[in-house]
């Protein structure tokens, strides 16, 4: 069983910055890909950013250079640095990690979500 704990969500003014963290614990052999999604009230969940084990990154079109995803393999943690935040970025941000457990089984684990609120 792999558990994820997210942190860093907060209320911030437009133009501000936040750094989200998602730490994995449990029986983990390797984490192959790490993703951040978000879901705003009344909207569908959308991909914010992803990073592979080899640090290949991808971002949603709306990011437009404002966010940076990174990972610390030693800590089994993924980060999302968000700058130039806009009210439209208000959402619950959720991390998703894909990898291999210590018993050599595939896993896909989701965090509980962290609220980001951007005021105008």
């Amino acid at each position: 069983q792999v558990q994820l704990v997210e942190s860093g969500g907060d209320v911030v003014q437009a133009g501000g910055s936040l750094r989200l963290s998602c730490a994995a614990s449990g029986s983990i052999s390797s984490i192959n890909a790490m993703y951040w999604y978000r879901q705003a009230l009344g909207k569908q969940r959308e991909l914010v950013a992803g990073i592979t084990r080899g640090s290949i990154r991808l971002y949603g079109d709306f990011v437009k250079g404002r966010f940076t995803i990174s990972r610390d393999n030693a800590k089994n943690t993924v980060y999302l640095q968000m700058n130039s935040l806009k009210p439209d970025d208000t959402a619950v941000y959720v991390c998703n990690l894909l990898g291999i457990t210590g018993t050599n089984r595939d896993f896909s684990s989701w965090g509980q979500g962290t609220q980001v609120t951007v005021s105008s």
Side-chain angles (χ1 to χ4, degrees), residues 72-88:
D72 185 332
N73 291 328
K75 296 181 179 180
N76 289 331
T77 299
V78 60
Y79 305 97
L80 184 67
Q81 177 67 44
M82 303 188 294
N83 300 326
S84 302
L85 283 162
K86 307 173 183 179
D88 284 349

Side-chain angles (χ1 to χ4, degrees), residues 40-111:
L41 198 61
K43 295 186 177 180
Q44 289 189 331
R45 184 172 62 193
E46 59 184 349
L47 177 67
V48 178
I51 185 168
T52 68
R53 186 166 179 81
S55 294
I56 296 173
R57 295 171 172 83
L58 61 92
Y59 296 98
D61 290 342
F62 59 86
V63 170
K64 298 187 185 300
R66 300 181 297 129
F67 300 172
T68 301
I69 189 170
S70 61
R71 61 188 287 169
D72 185 332
N73 291 328
K75 296 181 179 180
N76 289 331
T77 299
V78 60
Y79 305 97
L80 184 67
Q81 177 67 44
M82 303 188 294
N83 300 326
S84 302
L85 283 162
K86 307 173 183 179
D88 284 349
D89 294 318
T90 296
V92 175
Y93 286 70
V94 183
C95 61
N96 172 224
L97 273 55
L98 308 177
I100 310 293
T101 68
T103 55
N104 205 32
R105 303 187 70 152
D106 293 338
F107 74 84
S108 174
S109 292
W110 292 84

